[in-house]
Amino acid sequence: MSTDSWPPQLKEWVAQCLGQMTESNRAEAQAELKQVIADAFAAKTLWTTDWKGVQLQSLLPKPPPSFASTSNLKRKLGDNSNNHMSNKKTKKANALAKTLSAQAAAAGANDLVALNRRAQRFQREHEIERQKSSRQSGNPSSHSSSSFANNPPFKSRSGTPANYDTDEPEVNPNVPGWDRFTIVGTSKEIFKDYLRLTSEPKPEQIRPYNVLQETLAQLKKRWREKATYNWMCSQFKSLRQDLTVQRIKNEFTVTVYEIHARMALEVGDMVEYNQCQAMLRNLYELGIPGKVEEFTAYRILLLLHGRNRSDLNLYVGQLTQKQKSGPAVRHALAVQRAVAMGNYHALFDLYLNAPNMGAYIMDHFIDRERVRALMVMTKAYITLKLSFVTNELAFESLQNAREFLAEHRVAFFQNPNAPDGEKVLDCKPAVQPLAQVLEEKYRRVQIKGAV
């Protein structure tokens, strides 16, 4: 339950409660505060509760003790001091009391500092939310690129030192929860190899926003010029790292991850693809626009590859009718139905007509489905022409189909010396080996980098 997802009214109420706490009621009030917010989160009423009208019981004034109880307490203390304490013990008790009082005062001072710091943070976040709301409901021209060009945070991202002396820092719309402690890069390097961070990042080693935009443009150009994937992957990971340490989350960030994901799909690098897809899901959930439909379809196909039926059913069940209506998602759902029903004829037609880069993901499980289809075909037919198998199972050529059958130990041709276009597969001896191959080779699915 991140505070980033809290409504502004809740943040303002929390800051007010923190400011009302004292040393005597802090522990009880903080516990009640956490419980109230947790209950509202569980009931999904964070945004519907009128937080201004909520009152913590622990912050209400305590009733004064009655006269009788006060008199009894004084009498007991007096009797106890007269009857059971010697002068020596009294001095030790007084010394201990002074020590405890000093410790309590020090602890209270530390707690007060932390409390003030926390209250300031809540107030700052509330102010940021209020400024965002005012920009959205106010002058639309405030969102133009020309006005952003004169914004101090953007100046600092281009190399000019940021002004850290002001009490309220200027808000950078690219960074959710931006404050004066956000790292702002100053490096001018266009290309930079990826290195895992082992210490606190330094601004002079990080590229600012405008330089990262130029980096992406140059990387796209290099990819069209057939640069090696290993070099491209290192550059994109470095670009993603610079975005992460500066907490930049906007449409540009989404574009970077989408492009890297497509490159990874093209070369079969599922580790990087899954990392990009996981981050894209988080960015989309923040409401940042991107190719949501395209990557929704990819996720459905990837869950099909992993044969994770429970997660697949849950994910598909959460999609809205509008999300399911897009062509890419409709295609992925059709693939799901074809696999579930064993309709291999429809499946391989969908494979040949996959939109975007869906076929690259289907490549990872299409051989498994070919074996399953062959198990059905060899039980239904006595013989099969190699040309029929090639067309029905969407092989690129007769040679590819013949090599696939040999690799899976079912190349039982009645005329093995004939040309590929005339070869005929004997189905009966192929039934048992196909079942063994399916169990041995495709029973387990390992997806590197899966999230």
Side-chain angles (χ1 to χ4, degrees):
M1 186 172 57
S2 172
T3 57
D4 294 338
S5 62
W6 289 3
Q9 191 184 61
L10 172 57
K11 294 180 180 179
E12 184 176 1
W13 177 74
V14 170
Q16 181 181 356
C17 291
L18 291 173
Q20 294 175 355
M21 293 180 190
T22 63
E23 183 181 351
S24 59
N25 64 15
R26 183 175 300 107
E28 181 183 0
Q30 287 182 348
E32 183 182 359
L33 178 69
K34 293 178 182 178
Q35 187 61 46
V36 170
I37 296 176
D39 292 343
F41 178 78
K44 298 182 179 179
T45 58
L46 285 178
W47 288 85
T48 57
T49 301
D50 181 13
W51 291 104
K52 293 182 179 179
V54 177
Q55 174 63 55
L56 296 181
Q57 297 299 316
S58 54
L59 294 180
L60 292 174
K62 297 293 187 296
S66 63
F67 176 78
S69 60
T70 305
S71 301
N72 292 334
L73 177 61
K74 290 182 178 179
R75 184 165 57 250
K76 288 181 180 179
L77 289 175
D79 294 342
N80 184 58
S81 60
N82 293 332
N83 300 329
H84 301 287
M85 290 186 64
S86 64
N87 292 334
K88 185 175 182 181
K89 291 183 178 180
T90 302
K91 292 180 180 179
K92 288 184 177 181
N94 291 337
L96 178 60
K98 290 181 179 179
T99 303
L100 292 177
S101 177
Q103 293 176 350
N110 293 334
D111 290 343
L112 184 60
V113 172
L115 179 62
N116 291 335
R117 188 187 310 118
R118 193 179 310 152
Q120 290 173 4
R121 176 169 58 83
F122 275 103
Q123 185 63 32
R124 183 171 60 250
E125 292 178 356
H126 173 64
E127 181 65 24
I128 290 173
E129 293 292 339
R130 188 159 54 192
Q131 290 182 16
K132 288 181 179 178
S133 300
S134 64
R135 285 201 308 275
Q136 293 173 357
S137 60
N139 185 7
S141 64
S142 62
H143 294 280
S144 65
S145 58
S146 60
S147 62
F148 280 152
N150 298 320
N151 200 321
F154 278 82
K155 287 185 178 180
S156 63
R157 291 194 178 279
S158 64
T160 304
N163 182 10
Y164 294 149
D165 296 330
T166 58
D167 293 334
E168 292 296 333
E170 293 288 344
V171 179
N172 186 338
N174 297 305
V175 182
W178 189 91
D179 56 30
R180 69 184 65 182
F181 304 107
T182 302
I183 296 176
V184 179
T186 60
S187 174
K188 298 296 183 180
E189 294 184 44
I190 300 296
F191 301 119
K192 186 180 71 172
D193 289 332
Y194 170 75
L195 293 174
R196 186 180 298 275
L197 291 176
T198 58
S199 60
E200 184 178 350
K202 300 178 181 179
E204 61 269 18
Q205 298 174 348
I206 301 171
R207 293 162 292 186
Y209 185 60
N210 62 324
V211 176
L212 293 177
Q213 290 177 307
E214 177 63 23
T215 298
L216 179 61
Q218 292 296 327
L219 287 176
K220 290 193 292 186
K221 180 180 178 182
R222 293 292 183 93
W223 183 247
R224 289 192 295 268
E225 295 172 354
K226 307 299 182 184
T228 63
Y229 175 73
N230 288 338
W231 183 81
M232 291 293 298
C233 183
S234 176
Q235 293 298 317
F236 264 91
K237 290 180 70 173
S238 176
L239 195 160
R240 287 159 42 189
Q241 185 182 70
D242 285 358
L243 289 171
T244 300
V245 298
Q246 296 178 99
R247 296 192 289 145
I248 299 175
K249 294 180 181 179
N250 58 4
E251 292 186 48
F252 175 75
T253 309
V254 170
T255 300
V256 169
Y257 278 90
E258 288 176 343
I259 293 176
H260 195 186
R262 295 189 189 100
M263 289 180 178
L265 279 180
E266 188 171 343
V267 300
D269 185 357
M270 298 308 294
V271 173
E272 288 302 324
Y273 172 78
N274 279 292
Q275 291 180 3
C276 291
Q277 185 190 60
M279 177 56 72
L280 284 171
R281 288 177 62 190
N282 294 333
L283 295 171
Y284 293 152
E285 288 175 358
L286 291 174
I288 304 175
K291 304 297 183 181
V292 180
E293 184 208 349
E294 175 186 350
F295 282 86
T296 298
Y298 293 161
R299 177 147 181 82
I300 294 173
L301 295 176
L302 198 62
L303 288 171
L304 277 173
H305 168 39
R307 294 195 299 186
N308 195 332
R309 294 182 182 178
S310 59
D311 284 357
L312 177 60
N313 293 334
L314 179 62
Y315 183 67
V316 172
Q318 292 174 342
L319 297 179
T320 64
Q321 289 301 321
K322 182 178 180 181
Q323 290 172 320
K324 293 179 181 179
S325 63
V329 175
R330 285 206 314 270
H331 172 272
L333 294 175
V335 173
Q336 179 194 12
R337 287 192 296 271
V339 171
M341 299 174 63
N343 187 349
Y344 59 83
H345 180 82
L347 173 64
F348 291 104
D349 183 62
L350 290 166
Y351 172 60
L352 292 176
N353 296 281
N356 301 318
M357 304 186 71
Y360 285 99
I361 296 181
M362 295 183 70
D363 282 341
H364 290 276
F365 63 86
I366 205 67
D367 282 351
R368 179 186 70 209
E369 300 306 319
R370 281 170 171 157
V371 171
R372 293 178 60 191
L374 278 171
M375 291 177 63
V376 177
M377 295 165 66
T378 52
K379 290 179 181 178
Y381 295 89
I382 298 176
T383 60
L384 287 169
K385 289 184 177 180
L386 181 62
S387 58
F388 177 79
V389 174
T390 301
N391 294 330
E392 192 67 18
L393 303 187
F395 285 105
E396 292 183 358
S397 65
L398 292 168
Q399 179 182 350
N400 292 140
R402 173 173 50 79
E403 292 174 350
F404 178 86
L405 295 174
E407 179 186 350
H408 292 79
R409 308 196 298 270
V410 291
F412 300 107
F413 296 109
Q414 291 183 342
N415 51 347
N417 297 324
D420 287 345
E422 301 175 5
K423 279 187 170 64
V424 177
L425 178 67
D426 190 357
C427 294
K428 186 175 181 179
V431 174
Q432 186 61 31
L434 283 171
Q436 293 176 352
V437 167
L438 184 65
E439 177 67 18
E440 295 171 2
K441 191 171 183 178
Y442 301 108
R443 181 169 62 89
R444 292 184 178 181
V445 181
Q446 293 183 350
I447 304 178
K448 295 181 178 179
V451 178

